[in-house]
Amino acid sequence: MESNANISSLALQRLRVALTLWEQEKWSLGCKWLYLCARLQGGKLRSLWVSAAENTSKQVELELGDILNVATSFELEMLHSPETRILNPASENTWNSLRGIRAMLVEQGGETRLWAATEMIAHNLSFNKALNIHFKSMKKTSSMRPPTPVILYLTKQLFCDNRPSHQNSPTPSEMFRGNRVVETKTVDCRGVLRCVQSMTRWLASQVDGVGAAKYKYWPSRGSYASSNNAIRQWMATVCLNRVAKAFGSEQIAAIVARNHNFNLSTTFRREGELGYIWMNGCAKLGAAALAALAILESPHRKRFLNEEHALHSFTQLLSNPDGSFDTFYIPRERKDNQNFYSGEALLFLASCFRISRNSAELARIMAAFHYYRDWHRDNRNPAFVPWHTQAYFLVWQVTQDEALKAFIFEMNDWLLSMQQWRTAAFRDMQGRFHDPARPYFGPPHASSTGVYLEGLIDAFSLAKQCGDKQRAENYRIAIVRGIRSIMQLQFKDEVDCFYIKNVNRVLGGVRTTVYDNTIRIDNVQHALMALLKIYSRFEVRDYYIE
């Protein structure tokens, strides 16, 4: 790199330090390969692989010399400790916990391909997809893709960019899974507020000029998905309502009003006295309930009382005498998604009762409570817990019903067993709600952690109000750990955005998992509504855990 000695960018200075570290550590670590990628504002310029036996400086100069003074960042990856495994390209989700941590070498059909762990993060690739790409690139392809031996490498990852530090230090940043691990000690009142503010900016920015909110963004592709979901769209409207109220923001109030009007004009349908939400060929109980909740909490509620009444009537129509709900109006024969839609309907009804104190509304809620308490005990599922917790907590605040209190505690005590801490495979997974021993409850997901926190903060408040110190402490610790997980998943800075071209589209957004960078609107919305409640109820000391 002698010919570039006059270049003084921090990124290049840090690259030189990183290459010096490579020379110092490659033999002690037993490294086999070095991966180096040069980028311009997140866009890939060029990359190269250098074996430990090669002259690294010469190779860098030869292959990257003409762009070294153009690049704004570099990532490096040292590959060591090889392990041979058999990878089945037809399987799904193989070794997900290792994505972004292990690099992979494939030798098949006379061709060799190395995949850096950071490259797989940047392209949002699983090991299976990477192997299938290799098969497609082979000159002699076959429809038969048998289980294939691959070599996985442990990696040490370094990031070199132009971001100033307090001393403009040329020291590169060490990455873990293309990111940095969020330490629990950084979870505090100020950190939560920063998280809330950046999520708010992201969510508000998804609403366009006519009020339509983008549903899903793929950072690796730099594009939005064409899919949509009515329930998640209306949840986002509820969230924006609450954010506007919490911050007293006229700007966000204008955005949510635009979004509210758009959602009503495009999804609300009426049949006589009934109103429902229509999208993707379905009319769901949950969508109607959340649309009604958005109206109920809107500062412009009076303008939409007719729509609210029609949606309320629709909820009543799908409510059965035994307390159960039918979950679909179209198609009427569908009865699934009870874990979600029953709780979403009850959350709306409980919100209505909190205002009206109507005895008939309470009777309907309590009939559903008795039915679903038994149903849940026979069909335990974590997805059920946060929705029913929030609904019953609203009613308990009015009635102080002991049965409601007991069931809230029962549900959330059980939910705690789903959270990973010491059992997490890696530190960046700590705090998420996922039990690998019970895969039938679904994969880990940011929206799951967010909605569980929405329920847990109500369970915490209930335990605190009832003087149940041990439960309050158990829930408090789970909440702080959950916040850590959400903070880990949030796009925050230049390091975890190292491969992002349109940084403004992701900053503040929340990844689906530590190894899947897809941003979905409910990833942010659930976490944001949870953090708003936590921030308003936690004291400064509540954030501290050892």
Side-chain angles (χ1 to χ4, degrees):
M1 296 176 63
E2 291 300 321
S3 63
N4 293 281
N6 61 322
I7 304 301
S8 58
S9 75
L10 274 173
L12 197 54
Q13 291 179 48
R14 287 167 175 155
L15 174 61
R16 292 191 182 109
V17 173
L19 291 174
T20 300
L21 288 172
W22 159 251
E23 295 296 340
Q24 293 172 350
E25 297 186 13
K26 65 181 180 181
W27 301 121
S28 61
L29 287 175
C31 290
K32 302 296 182 182
W33 299 93
L34 173 72
Y35 170 76
L36 173 57
C37 182
R39 296 182 183 273
L40 176 63
Q41 304 299 337
K44 184 176 180 179
L45 293 172
R46 203 176 301 158
S47 64
L48 77 154
W49 287 94
V50 183
S51 74
E54 291 181 282
N55 184 318
T56 306
S57 294
K58 182 178 179 180
Q59 288 298 111
V60 171
E61 189 67 37
L62 180 66
E63 298 194 40
L64 302 182
D66 60 326
I67 60 169
L68 288 173
N69 61 341
V70 176
T72 53
S73 69
F74 305 89
E75 69 258 19
L76 297 87
E77 194 168 306
M78 306 178 193
L79 278 59
H80 61 92
S81 307
E83 175 191 3
T84 300
R85 294 191 179 192
I86 303 298
L87 177 57
N88 183 354
S91 63
E92 295 182 3
N93 305 322
T94 305
W95 315 327
N96 266 347
S97 66
L98 301 182
R99 284 169 60 180
I101 295 176
R102 298 285 191 98
M104 181 172 72
L105 184 146
V106 183
E107 290 181 304
Q108 185 74 10
E111 295 187 18
T112 300
R113 175 69 187 265
L114 277 159
W115 290 94
T118 50
E119 184 181 13
M120 292 174 70
I121 284 290
H123 290 283
N124 212 27
L125 286 179
S126 65
F127 290 102
N128 308 78
K129 287 182 180 178
L131 180 57
N132 279 317
I133 289 172
H134 177 80
F135 278 121
K136 288 179 182 179
S137 69
M138 290 166 54
K139 294 179 181 178
K140 293 182 179 181
T141 59
S142 169
S143 59
M144 296 295 295
R145 295 179 179 178
T148 303
V150 299
I151 300 175
L152 300 187
Y153 290 90
L154 292 176
T155 61
K156 180 173 182 177
Q157 303 168 8
L158 299 172
F159 180 64
C160 311
D161 70 337
N162 283 321
R163 181 184 42 158
S165 61
H166 28 277
Q167 298 178 336
N168 279 352
S169 168
T171 304
S173 301
E174 185 163 356
M175 297 193 292
F176 182 83
R177 209 191 299 267
N179 198 352
R180 288 175 293 189
V181 176
V182 173
E183 302 294 340
T184 309
K185 64 183 178 182
T186 65
V187 180
D188 56 20
C189 186
R190 288 178 297 178
V192 167
L193 180 58
R194 285 194 300 270
C195 200
V196 164
Q197 290 170 333
S198 57
M199 283 182 187
T200 298
R201 285 191 294 270
W202 184 88
L203 188 58
S205 72
Q206 301 310 297
V207 181
D208 66 19
V210 298
K214 302 292 195 299
Y215 169 60
K216 184 192 293 185
Y217 184 69
W218 289 311
S220 293
R221 303 183 194 179
S223 63
Y224 291 96
S226 59
S227 56
N228 207 350
N229 182 287
I231 288 178
R232 292 162 189 160
Q233 285 287 357
W234 278 106
M235 285 194 298
T237 307
V238 171
C239 181
L240 284 168
N241 261 331
R242 294 179 183 180
V243 169
K245 182 178 180 180
F247 289 112
S249 170
E250 293 183 6
Q251 180 183 7
I252 296 175
I255 291 171
V256 69
R258 195 163 66 240
N259 173 248
H260 192 158
N261 290 336
F262 175 85
N263 285 345
L264 272 178
S265 67
T266 56
T267 68
F268 178 78
R269 290 191 177 184
R270 187 187 291 275
E271 280 186 12
E273 295 296 314
L274 298 179
Y276 58 85
I277 301 301
W278 175 260
M279 184 179 284
N280 300 328
C282 291
K284 306 173 183 178
L285 171 67
L290 290 167
L293 183 63
I295 295 173
L296 184 71
E297 296 186 2
S298 170
H300 308 294
R301 182 189 179 198
K302 290 182 179 179
R303 289 172 48 195
F304 305 108
L305 285 177
N306 287 335
E307 289 84 353
E308 181 188 329
H309 177 75
L311 291 166
H312 198 163
S313 297
F314 176 82
T315 305
Q316 291 176 325
L317 174 71
L318 297 187
S319 177
N320 298 312
D322 64 355
S324 67
F325 288 99
D326 294 336
T327 49
F328 284 80
Y329 183 60
I330 303 173
R332 200 71 168 91
E333 65 274 10
R334 283 188 64 177
K335 308 293 183 183
D336 55 305
N337 281 322
Q338 289 285 352
N339 282 307
F340 298 93
Y341 300 173
S342 64
E344 291 160 1
L346 282 169
L347 181 57
F348 166 61
L349 295 177
S351 299
C352 291
F353 169 71
R354 195 180 185 191
I355 297 170
S356 69
R357 308 299 170 94
N358 183 290
S359 59
E361 196 87 87
L362 178 60
R364 183 179 299 108
I365 292 168
M366 293 307 295
F369 162 70
H370 287 106
Y371 176 89
Y372 282 104
R373 181 177 58 181
D374 294 340
W375 186 89
H376 177 64
R377 287 169 175 170
D378 292 335
N379 304 273
R380 293 280 188 191
N381 192 297
F384 178 95
V385 175
W387 296 106
H388 284 256
T389 295
Q390 292 177 85
Y392 301 148
F393 180 63
L394 288 176
V395 178
W396 178 87
Q397 287 179 307
V398 177
T399 67
Q400 307 286 294
D401 188 290
E402 286 293 316
L404 292 174
K405 180 183 79 171
F407 190 49
I408 289 173
F409 289 155
E410 177 186 326
M411 288 188 291
N412 286 275
D413 288 351
W414 177 82
L415 179 66
L416 295 187
S417 68
M418 293 293 300
Q419 189 176 40
Q420 290 183 287
W421 193 248
R422 291 183 178 87
T423 60
F426 298 99
R427 288 193 303 140
D428 62 341
M429 294 176 171
Q430 288 185 316
R432 69 182 188 173
F433 287 81
H434 172 64
D435 185 358
R438 292 178 281 181
Y440 42 84
F441 288 142
H445 204 291
S447 64
S448 298
T449 297
V451 75
Y452 297 151
L453 290 177
E454 285 187 78
L456 276 168
I457 184 59
D458 283 351
F460 167 81
S461 299
L462 176 61
K464 196 171 180 181
Q465 290 176 45
C466 295
D468 193 332
K469 294 182 179 179
Q470 188 56 61
R471 273 203 172 90
E473 179 67 2
N474 293 343
Y475 298 155
R476 182 189 71 81
I477 291 172
I479 289 167
V480 175
R481 290 173 173 175
I483 296 171
R484 193 224 70 83
S485 178
I486 294 297
M487 287 181 167
Q488 184 72 58
L489 297 174
Q490 188 176 41
F491 281 100
K492 295 175 287 296
D493 56 28
E494 293 86 347
V495 176
D496 63 337
C497 291
F498 73 89
Y499 57 94
I500 304 295
K501 294 179 184 178
N502 300 310
V503 174
N504 289 335
R505 289 187 179 178
V506 304
L507 281 178
V510 177
R511 301 168 182 80
T512 295
T513 65
V514 292
Y515 47 77
D516 179 355
N517 62 22
T518 303
I519 307 175
R520 213 169 65 185
I521 197 169
D522 53 318
N523 293 2
V524 176
Q525 164 265 313
H526 278 308
L528 180 49
M529 291 207 292
L531 293 183
L532 282 173
K533 286 201 285 187
I534 293 165
Y535 184 76
S536 68
R537 299 181 195 178
F538 261 30
E539 299 177 26
V540 171
R541 65 176 181 270
D542 287 330
Y543 293 97
Y544 176 76
I545 61 173
E546 295 181 358

